Amino acid sequence: MASNQRDYYIDGNTARQLNTIPERVERPERIEHQEKERKVNQTINRNTNRAKAFDLRYTLALVVATLFVFAAAISMLKLQADVTEQRRQVAALENNLNELKDSNDEYAKQLESAVDLTKVYDMAVNELGMIYPENGQVISYEASNPDYVKQFKDIPTK
C-alpha cells in the first residue's frame, strides 16, 4: 500500500464518516447578540439616513448663507464706490467754490482800488457842500430786514 493512504478500520457495526462538519448548536447568548447587532444595524441605517438629510439641509443653509454674504459684499462695494464718487464730486465743488471766492475777492479789490475815497470826500465837501451831521441830527431806524430798506415817504424832522 502507498504511504500516503491511511488505513481505516471499522470498529463496531458502523463505518466512520470522513470529513464531516459537526452540527452547529446555537447558543442563546449568540442569538441575543445577533438580535442586538440587527438593532444596532437598523439604528446605524436610521442615523445614516438622518445624516444624509442633515447634509442636504446643512448644504442648503450653507448655500443661502454664502449667497447672503456675497450679496452683502457686493452691496458694500457699491456703497463704497458711491461714497468715493461723492467725495470726488465734493472735492470738485469745493475747488470750484474756492476759485469763485478768489475771483470775487479779486473783483472786490479792483472795485475798492478803482474808487479814490479822498477824491469822493473832496467832491462831496467842496463841490456839493456836504458836512458831517451834528449829534442831534442822526436818527436811528430799526428795520425788520437789515439788508434792505425801501423809503416810501420823507423822514420826519421830529
Side-chain angles (χ1 to χ4, degrees), residues 150-156:
K150 190 170 186 179
Q151 182 177 345
F152 293 107
K153 296 184 199 174
D154 288 337
I155 299 175

Side-chain angles (χ1 to χ4, degrees), residues 21-90:
I21 299 174
E23 193 171 316
R24 188 170 186 164
V25 177
E26 292 289 333
R27 294 178 288 178
E29 304 93 34
R30 187 170 179 105
I31 294 172
E32 289 175 10
H33 180 71
Q34 287 175 347
E35 288 177 6
K36 286 181 184 177
E37 280 185 15
R38 193 176 305 124
K39 287 180 183 178
V40 167
N41 287 340
Q42 288 174 352
T43 305
I44 289 172
N45 288 338
R46 196 175 324 118
N47 288 341
T48 303
N49 291 337
R50 284 183 187 166
K52 287 178 184 175
F54 176 75
D55 286 343
L56 179 63
R57 280 185 262 147
Y58 177 75
T59 304
L60 288 175
L62 187 62
V63 166
V64 168
T66 303
L67 290 175
F68 178 76
V69 168
F70 186 70
I74 287 175
S75 175
M76 185 190 77
L77 288 175
K78 185 183 179 308
L79 288 174
Q80 190 172 4
D82 291 346
V83 167
T84 303
E85 177 63 23
Q86 286 178 352
R87 283 184 180 170
R88 188 191 62 76
Q89 288 176 355
V90 166

Side-chain angles (χ1 to χ4, degrees), residues 51-156:
K52 287 178 184 175
F54 176 75
D55 286 343
L56 179 63
R57 280 185 262 147
Y58 177 75
T59 304
L60 288 175
L62 187 62
V63 166
V64 168
T66 303
L67 290 175
F68 178 76
V69 168
F70 186 70
I74 287 175
S75 175
M76 185 190 77
L77 288 175
K78 185 183 179 308
L79 288 174
Q80 190 172 4
D82 291 346
V83 167
T84 303
E85 177 63 23
Q86 286 178 352
R87 283 184 180 170
R88 188 191 62 76
Q89 288 176 355
V90 166
L93 290 173
E94 285 177 348
N95 205 10
N96 190 17
L97 176 65
N98 288 334
E99 288 176 5
L100 289 173
K101 281 183 179 180
D102 289 344
S103 68
N104 193 22
D105 290 344
E106 186 178 324
Y107 287 135
K109 286 181 183 177
Q110 286 177 356
L111 287 175
E112 287 175 6
S113 66
V115 177
D116 185 15
L117 293 179
T118 56
K119 203 175 195 183
V120 171
Y121 178 77
D122 284 342
M123 184 180 276
V125 170
N126 295 333
E127 292 181 22
L128 299 174
M130 295 180 76
I131 57 171
Y132 279 106
E134 294 178 8
N135 286 338
Q137 290 179 327
V138 176
I139 300 172
S140 297
Y141 176 77
E142 195 171 312
S144 59
N145 185 1
D147 293 337
Y148 179 75
V149 176
K150 190 170 186 179
Q151 182 177 345
F152 293 107
K153 296 184 199 174
D154 288 337
I155 299 175

